[in-house]
Amino acid sequence: MKPPLLAAGDLRVGIAGRVLCDALSIRVAAGEVWAIVGPNGAGKTTLLRTLAGLVPPLAGHIHLAGTPLASMPLRERARARAVLPQDDVDAFAISALDSVLAARHPHLAWHAFERPHDRDVAMAALAVFGVDSLAQRDVRTLSGGERRRVALAELLAQQAPLMLLDEPSSHLDVGQQVAALDALAQAARTQARALVMVLHDLHLAARYADHVVLLGEGRADAGDAAAMLDAGRLSALFARPLVALGEGRLRTFVPR
């Protein structure tokens, strides 16, 4: 039996002397989609960064595909997991294609140039998100939504089994949100990959997630999405009475 793509045990996460969650244990298997949900300031980004190995945990352990994350060399980490940050920051001029090609570097030998195969992977990823026509555009000239879709293409082109995303739907209109998350969920479920996403939109969590982590008030609860995305649980989490509308993956939650 293969180990899960991500396993965290007895995880304590914190920042600036504040404990955000304690004793969190999760196992993320290939084909699964996870959502991290909670109010602003709860620590969702810090939890995601901790799972990625960008922030050390206060306690507990994290394994990627059975290997302790703390002992993995950086290039090996980059082949095992890809990370989409909350914001896209471009310090200098670069084309959209070159920015996606940069995500292929973990698969290249040191100082090697990209191969035709890498260019094909990059162009295919841009096409998945409908921005292949922007391949030669300077990323600094793109709209917020266009830049976000290029960033999603970077994530996909990295071809890491585990994809960790911080608010992937930001800057996207409703049609682009669904198209982008459809593509990512399909990649997870058909290519033995997995998604772990910080989401503010509860309707997107209900639509895509198999499992959910609810984070708030210094604790985290993880479980099946149907059990976690409950009006009572979410009302307590957000300190606001919420009611559920719709059914199944078409549910959403609105203030009472």
Side-chain angles (χ1 to χ4, degrees), residues 15-250:
I15 190 169
R18 176 182 167 215
V19 175
L20 302 172
C21 69
D22 198 11
L24 172 65
S25 295
I26 61 173
R27 293 169 62 88
V28 179
E32 292 181 346
V33 177
W34 285 67
I36 301 173
V37 172
N40 287 342
K44 300 182 296 297
T45 293
T46 301
L47 173 57
L48 192 80
R49 287 172 55 81
T50 302
L51 295 174
L54 302 176
V55 175
L58 302 179
H61 60 82
I62 302 170
H63 288 69
L64 298 184
T67 300
L69 175 60
S71 67
M72 294 179 75
L74 294 180
R75 285 174 65 82
E76 187 177 342
R77 290 188 192 188
R79 289 191 290 265
R81 58 94 177 104
V83 184
L84 179 77
Q86 189 174 125
D87 298 308
D88 307 308
V89 179
D90 300 299
F92 51 84
I94 187 173
S95 73
L97 175 58
D98 283 339
S99 72
V100 179
L101 282 171
R104 298 295 303 160
H105 286 187
H107 303 283
L108 302 177
W110 288 106
H111 304 299
F113 289 103
E114 297 88 357
R115 304 155 296 185
H117 169 69
D118 299 304
R119 184 182 178 88
D120 291 343
V121 170
M123 286 301 301
L126 287 166
V128 165
F129 298 103
V131 284
D132 48 320
S133 63
L134 306 177
Q136 300 307 320
R137 282 270 300 275
D138 182 338
V139 292
R140 299 174 303 170
T141 70
L142 301 178
S143 71
E146 290 169 337
R147 183 64 185 92
R148 195 57 169 171
R149 285 183 284 160
V150 170
L152 289 166
E154 295 166 11
L155 178 99
L156 197 64
Q158 192 170 329
Q159 294 186 323
L162 177 64
M163 296 177 281
L164 304 169
L165 305 92
D166 196 353
E167 298 185 39
S169 60
S170 65
H171 300 293
L172 302 183
D173 64 40
V174 64
Q176 292 168 351
Q177 289 177 8
V178 171
L181 295 189
D182 277 353
L184 292 168
Q186 182 179 21
R189 290 167 177 152
T190 64
Q191 300 173 17
R193 300 164 83 171
L195 292 177
V196 179
M197 304 184 287
V198 171
L199 290 175
H200 274 297
D201 297 310
L202 297 177
H203 66 280
L204 294 177
R207 184 183 183 97
Y208 292 101
D210 310 306
H211 306 272
V212 171
V213 177
L214 299 182
L215 183 64
E217 296 297 328
R219 60 173 291 176
D221 296 309
D224 180 78
M228 293 293 105
L229 296 178
D230 168 80
R233 283 181 179 269
L234 294 173
S235 295
L237 182 67
F238 290 99
R240 175 71 60 179
L242 301 176
V243 295
L245 299 178
E247 297 181 354
R249 292 193 178 273
L250 298 183

